[in-house]
Amino acid sequence: MRSFLSFYKNIFAVVIGVVFLLITPLSVAKIDDNSNVLRVGIDLTYAPFAYLENNQAEGFDPDFMHLLAQKSHKIAEFNDTRIENIIIGLESGHYDVVASALYVNGTRAKQVDFIPYLQTGGVLLVRQDDKFNPQTLEDLCGKSVSSMKGAAWIETMNQISETYCKSHHLQAIMVKEYPSAPEASQALLSHGVDVQYEDAAVANMVIKQLNNSLKITSKNMINPVLIGLAVRKNDTEFKQYLLDLIKSVRQSGEYDLLLKKYNLAYPNQTLLQDNIDFIATDLAGNLKQIQNVEQKGFNWSYFFNELINPNFAKASCTVISLSGLAWLSALVFGLLLALGNRSKRLVLVKITAFYIWLFRSLPLLVLLIYIYSLPRFWQASSVVLSNPFWAGLIALILSESAYMAEIHRGALQAISKDQIDAGRALGLRYWSIQAKIVFPQALRIALPPLTNQFVTIIKLTSLVSVISLTEILLVGQQLYTRNFLVIETLTIVAIYYVAIVTIVTWLIKRFEVSLDVTKRSNIATIEANEFKSISNKENNLLSTSKPSKYVLELQHLSKNYGNTKVLKDINLDVNWGDVISIIGPSGSGKTTLIRTINGLSDLDEGTIKFEGIPFINGGQIHDKQFYNRIVHLGMVFQNYNLFPHKTVLDNLLLAPEYHGKDLAITKQLALALLDKVGMLDHAYKYPHQLSGGQQQRVAIARALVMEPSIMLFDEPTSALDPELVNEVLQVIAKLATEGMTMLIVTHEMSFAFKVSNRILFMEEGQIIHDDAPNVLKNSDDKRLQQFLNQNER
């Protein structure tokens, strides 16, 4: 077992070593000793020590650095960097010294050298109207406390939790870390925490800036701490240079005036003595000759110890939960936004477009802080939003749904309108069409970019640390802001993120493969017990009852596309058993007529009666009876319009299942119809596995399964290769001999004249002729004869 672990430790060492070699040049950047610029790393979010005002660095630390630079005839140049990343910049040579109220402690002293220049301490803050009045850290047991990331007192509070709180059977102190003091204060004002632990000088400025909405409760300064300038180890010459400058400004009295201005103090001897092992000077302020504590190279021991830190495992669970919930919720909400954006209602389009524009424009970081701070203005929301997990989840959903809406919109646009028409022809309502036909196909198209968005969300969870959610990055920051082992810690963070992304991507990839019907193997066949009851089922298809004189009556139909009138006062009566072929030149209105009969195209004027009862009225919205009766008008499209994500048998069973038919009986009928059109052996195949002729035969069976009173064919052979045309025409001819009422739009002249008892000739949106085939053949209409001669096949 030991050799096994040793082997993998060596593997890790090689991988991390390569990464470390790539970034090492950054950490040995050369400093130009002859430069007239003193480069300072500083966090300008920590007033009064350092802050930005009128685009200039202000506060004690900037004033102190300006003073030192002037003494050496240089200019102080400030590099604003957040406290959790400030040591990275120092080690990478981006600046020479860090002057940002850094607290001195043993773990930090292993990575950098400290030159002490200030002392401070902490105080406790609560809301002005709060009755809670803590004086010491022991009073904080069971309370939540906000603090700036990396503060020295966080370790002290953790120790109090372990020693005092536990021994007194009290709950631990819950410390929530924030990037800056203002954000820690906002958390307190928003009821996200009970108390804020803050530096005394910072606390006074916070109270002033927030118009006394907070108050200090502790009468005495808590946990006095030493503050030092951080410099790179082994840079003895530069450390001596800084010490000489500090001695100079102290002797001149300028430093004392600066301390007085900010009501601060130089470290006393007791505090220096307590921290003597962690600073680069002795009690007299001279540079030590021997450095006792020094850390070089990549700290492998620390890396492997922290790699199995349970806090990282807990944070990983948080990241997975947060990103998973955010992705699923944004996926659904984004889909609704996409549907709204494609709606025919202008109001919905405008609202969704505005939402997408707004939340794609808002930085997530701003949205996070805004939502987390909302309880300050709407206190009732603190029940939910005071919890950083829920606040972060809401922010992620609001932001990511805007991006996912565009992904969904692209996927929905990729679904052919013919698929929707096929669903409507089967009598499915809007949401059923979306759920059963559109969404499954759109999901397969959208899944790759949605997976990419999931990966993005996983990484974006690191931003939720700004409202103190303990996710992977925050755990890492909590470690390296105390020990400054930045590269080692961030490598661990990277490993956890890579592991999560790899697992999630693999799982979704497997799901994507499962949705891809082109990669499925069809091993299902018709069982004997299914087949034995099939025979003669199709003989019962035609209804013997004839509730009206005509199966279909078209009265004064008119249809416009813009200024073009495509149907002009169409009148037609269809008898039971009629087989009517509609012929005419392209653009004559044949397909439009068929589509208006079953409501796929809106009718502007006129009335359609079906089985003697009004079915569609021009200019009116379809009513409930329309959707209940539409299934009795079977529709076959020229492009088949089978549903590619469903098997042949499932294509046939979709409408009966939706309309509440007995599935056992309907399945037998479906199999009978497949047998009738010669497709029984292909029942469990998918449409992509069939030829065009086979698909069209399945489409005919799908239209017949609802036992329609009339069949509508829209150029059923126009998309087929010539050798496949006959197999479809044979099926239609067989239906004609069985007495099925049919309207057939076709360019197959010989077929039309062979199977039809009536033929309509249309031109320019009008029915020019409506006669028996032999009458039309012998007509003396020159235009008709010209058309027939040109289209003889």
Side-chain angles (χ1 to χ4, degrees):
M1 181 67 179
R2 183 173 297 177
S3 61
F4 177 81
L5 293 174
S6 176
F7 170 76
Y8 278 97
K9 181 175 179 180
N10 291 333
I11 294 295
F12 267 121
V14 171
V15 175
I16 301 303
V18 171
V19 175
F20 189 62
L21 284 173
L22 292 174
I23 62 175
T24 297
L26 296 175
S27 63
V28 295
K30 182 173 176 59
I31 298 171
D32 187 359
D33 295 329
N34 299 319
S35 172
N36 65 344
V37 175
L38 178 60
R39 300 178 302 164
V40 182
I42 194 166
D43 184 350
L44 295 175
T45 64
Y46 201 46
F49 293 104
Y51 57 96
L52 197 65
E53 188 171 287
N54 297 324
N55 209 32
Q56 296 293 324
E58 300 289 348
F60 177 84
D61 285 326
D63 287 353
F64 182 43
M65 288 295 102
H66 279 306
L67 183 60
L68 296 184
Q70 289 171 5
K71 282 294 179 181
S72 59
H73 307 290
K74 291 187 176 185
I75 299 172
E77 180 182 275
F78 298 101
N79 190 322
D80 185 16
T81 307
R82 297 293 75 79
I83 193 69
E84 62 266 23
N85 300 315
I86 205 163
I87 297 303
I88 298 176
L90 178 66
E91 293 178 339
S92 302
H94 297 309
Y95 28 84
D96 310 319
V97 60
V98 173
S100 195
L102 283 180
Y103 307 130
V104 176
N105 63 34
T107 52
R108 289 178 170 181
K110 294 178 181 179
Q111 305 305 314
V112 296
D113 278 344
F114 284 109
I115 297 176
Y117 70 107
L118 199 62
Q119 74 173 40
T120 187
V123 293
L124 301 177
L125 292 164
V126 299
R127 293 176 290 274
Q128 186 64 247
D129 58 351
D130 202 329
K131 296 180 180 180
F132 183 50
N133 192 41
Q135 297 297 315
T136 66
L137 295 183
E138 285 77 7
D139 295 334
L140 302 180
C141 292
K143 300 293 183 180
S144 56
V145 182
S146 65
S147 172
M148 187 174 177
K149 284 181 185 176
W153 49 66
I154 293 176
E155 289 185 10
T156 305
M157 283 193 284
N158 290 335
Q159 291 171 3
I160 293 293
S161 290
E162 288 295 321
T163 57
Y164 181 84
C165 298
K166 274 190 176 181
S167 63
H168 287 75
H169 305 291
L170 299 172
Q171 291 184 350
I173 302 171
M174 183 185 297
V175 181
K176 296 185 177 182
E177 299 184 46
Y178 295 85
S180 65
E183 287 160 313
S185 299
Q186 283 297 325
L188 178 58
L189 289 170
S190 302
H191 297 263
V193 294
D194 303 309
V195 185
Q196 181 179 353
Y197 191 145
E198 195 50 82
D199 178 273
V202 175
N204 285 312
M205 177 163 281
V206 165
I207 290 173
K208 182 179 178 181
Q209 293 290 337
L210 295 176
N211 298 319
N212 295 314
S213 56
L214 301 179
K215 63 182 178 182
I216 296 175
T217 60
S218 50
K219 296 178 181 178
N220 300 313
M221 191 174 291
I222 301 172
N223 191 32
V225 292
L226 186 64
I227 293 178
L229 300 174
V231 295
R232 280 177 293 273
K233 287 185 175 293
N234 299 325
D235 198 350
T236 306
E237 184 178 345
F238 185 70
K239 283 183 281 190
Q240 188 61 58
Y241 162 76
L242 283 179
L243 281 172
D244 292 341
L245 291 177
I246 293 173
K247 285 181 180 179
S248 176
V249 296
R250 288 190 68 194
Q251 290 171 358
S252 68
E254 294 169 284
Y255 189 47
D256 290 335
L257 290 174
L258 187 61
L259 290 170
K260 186 176 181 181
K261 174 183 175 181
Y262 288 93
N263 195 28
L264 297 171
Y266 188 77
N268 58 45
Q269 290 295 302
T270 302
L271 192 57
L272 288 171
Q273 181 61 56
D274 291 341
N275 291 274
I276 194 65
D277 293 334
F278 312 136
I279 56 178
T281 62
D282 55 24
L283 293 177
N286 298 316
L287 189 65
K288 293 178 182 177
Q289 296 301 312
I290 300 174
Q291 299 297 318
N292 296 321
V293 181
E294 186 173 348
Q295 181 76 31
K296 290 184 178 180
F298 195 90
N299 192 329
W300 292 104
S301 176
Y302 167 82
F303 171 79
F304 284 110
N305 285 334
E306 293 301 329
L307 188 61
I308 56 174
N309 186 332
N311 290 328
F312 278 116
K314 291 178 183 178
S316 297
C317 292
T318 300
V319 167
I320 293 170
S321 301
L322 180 61
S323 57
L325 285 172
W327 185 72
L328 289 171
S329 302
L331 187 147
V332 174
F333 189 29
L335 179 58
L336 294 176
L337 288 171
L339 291 173
N341 198 248
R342 287 166 52 83
S343 171
K344 294 180 180 179
R345 297 181 181 180
L346 185 60
V347 174
L348 273 179
V349 174
K350 293 292 184 183
I351 291 174
T352 53
F354 175 77
Y355 179 96
I356 293 169
W357 164 79
L358 177 64
F359 285 97
R360 287 175 70 190
S361 304
L362 277 176
L364 179 59
L365 196 62
V366 174
L367 190 60
L368 281 165
I369 295 173
Y370 177 79
I371 290 176
Y372 192 58
S373 302
L374 193 60
R376 180 181 176 187
F377 310 100
W378 181 26
Q379 192 168 344
S381 65
S382 64
V383 177
V384 174
L385 299 184
S386 60
N387 186 319
F389 182 91
W390 296 112
L393 178 61
I394 291 171
L396 282 168
I397 292 171
L398 291 175
S399 178
E400 290 304 308
S401 58
Y403 292 95
M404 289 197 189
E406 292 299 275
I407 294 174
H408 284 307
R409 186 169 66 87
L412 292 172
Q413 286 176 342
I415 305 303
S416 171
K417 186 178 179 295
D418 292 342
Q419 291 286 294
I420 298 173
D421 286 346
R424 292 175 62 191
L426 294 174
L428 274 66
R429 298 290 188 96
Y430 175 81
W431 284 110
S432 295
I433 291 174
Q434 301 302 317
K436 295 177 180 293
I437 300 171
V438 177
F439 292 166
Q441 297 181 60
L443 178 61
R444 191 174 67 84
I445 296 171
L447 201 54
L450 287 174
T451 302
N452 188 59
Q453 205 63 29
F454 197 173
V455 172
T456 300
I457 291 174
I458 290 172
K459 294 185 289 186
L460 284 176
T461 57
S462 62
L463 292 179
V464 189
S465 64
V466 300
I467 57 174
S468 194
L469 180 70
T470 307
E471 46 70 56
I472 297 172
L473 183 60
L474 181 58
V475 172
Q477 289 174 337
Q478 289 170 340
L479 290 172
Y480 72 67
T481 51
R482 292 162 177 67
N483 57 36
F484 291 167
L485 293 171
V486 180
I487 299 301
E488 292 89 336
T489 307
L490 287 182
T491 303
I492 297 170
V493 169
I495 288 172
Y496 274 92
Y497 273 115
V498 169
I500 292 173
V501 168
T502 301
I503 294 170
V504 166
T505 304
W506 182 83
L507 289 173
I508 297 180
K509 185 65 178 177
R510 299 307 304 164
F511 178 61
E512 183 182 345
V513 170
S514 72
L515 292 179
D516 190 351
V517 297
T518 64
K519 296 181 180 179
R520 296 179 188 175
S521 58
N522 298 100
I523 57 174
T525 57
I526 300 296
E527 299 292 337
N529 62 343
E530 292 179 290
F531 186 78
K532 65 182 181 181
S533 58
I534 290 176
S535 59
N536 299 322
K537 272 283 182 181
E538 71 273 13
N539 294 332
N540 300 320
L541 282 175
L542 298 178
S543 174
T544 56
S545 64
K546 298 178 180 179
S548 62
K549 181 178 180 181
Y550 300 110
V551 65
L552 200 64
E553 299 169 72
L554 312 183
Q555 300 172 350
H556 307 292
L557 305 190
S558 294
K559 170 69 179 175
N560 300 318
Y561 284 124
N563 295 323
T564 304
K565 203 171 189 69
V566 292
L567 294 181
K568 303 174 184 177
D569 196 30
I570 299 292
N571 291 277
L572 178 68
D573 294 332
V574 180
N575 298 298
W576 291 92
D578 272 349
V579 178
I580 302 175
S581 290
I582 305 173
I583 63 173
S586 297
S588 60
K590 305 185 299 296
T591 293
T592 302
L593 177 61
I594 286 287
R595 290 176 62 85
T596 56
I597 289 174
N598 67 354
L600 294 180
S601 291
D602 294 332
L603 183 64
D604 293 331
E605 297 176 16
T607 300
I608 298 175
K609 289 184 178 181
F610 178 45
E611 296 179 337
I613 301 172
F615 181 56
I616 297 175
N617 292 307
Q620 296 183 14
I621 298 174
H622 300 320
D623 55 15
K624 185 177 180 180
Q625 65 84 26
F626 169 84
Y627 291 100
N628 291 335
R629 300 170 67 205
I630 186 64
V631 293
H632 299 300
L633 284 85
M635 179 73 177
V636 178
F637 300 87
Q638 58 180 304
N639 291 320
Y640 334 132
N641 295 0
L642 296 181
F643 307 127
H645 61 295
K646 291 184 175 294
T647 64
V648 166
L649 183 58
D650 288 337
N651 264 272
L652 268 66
L653 295 179
L654 176 63
E657 180 182 8
Y658 174 76
H659 292 286
K661 295 252 186 179
D662 186 301
L663 282 185
I665 296 174
T666 303
K667 183 176 181 180
Q668 294 300 316
L669 176 59
L671 292 172
L673 287 169
L674 289 175
D675 190 33
K676 182 186 186 74
V677 298
M679 294 299 295
L680 182 62
D681 291 339
H682 304 280
Y684 292 104
K685 288 185 178 179
Y686 287 91
H688 74 274
Q689 296 171 310
L690 307 176
S691 68
Q694 289 174 325
Q695 290 189 55
Q696 193 63 294
R697 283 187 279 159
V698 172
I700 294 172
R702 183 178 65 181
L704 289 171
V705 79
M706 289 302 293
E707 303 177 74
S709 299
I710 183 171
M711 288 284 289
L712 309 176
F713 292 87
D714 181 17
E715 300 187 32
T717 60
S718 64
L720 298 178
D721 293 333
E723 62 269 22
L724 299 177
V725 170
N726 285 336
E727 63 186 56
V728 174
L729 295 182
Q730 288 172 7
V731 172
I732 298 175
K734 186 177 181 181
L735 290 175
T737 60
E738 293 173 354
M740 173 63 74
T741 307
M742 293 186 286
L743 286 180
I744 308 168
V745 174
T746 183
H747 289 290
E748 302 287 339
M749 293 299 108
S750 60
F751 172 76
F753 278 82
K754 180 179 179 181
V755 303
S756 306
N757 68 308
R758 291 168 62 185
I759 292 181
L760 307 183
F761 175 68
M762 292 187 65
E763 191 165 32
E764 296 183 355
Q766 296 177 299
I767 298 176
I768 306 300
H769 293 281
D770 176 5
D771 282 304
N774 60 333
V775 174
L776 289 188
K777 277 187 177 182
N778 298 316
S779 172
D780 57 0
D781 187 328
K782 293 182 179 180
R783 174 70 186 101
L784 174 61
Q785 293 304 321
Q786 178 189 21
F787 174 80
L788 292 177
N789 292 334
Q790 290 175 344
N791 290 273
E792 283 186 356
R793 293 181 63 178

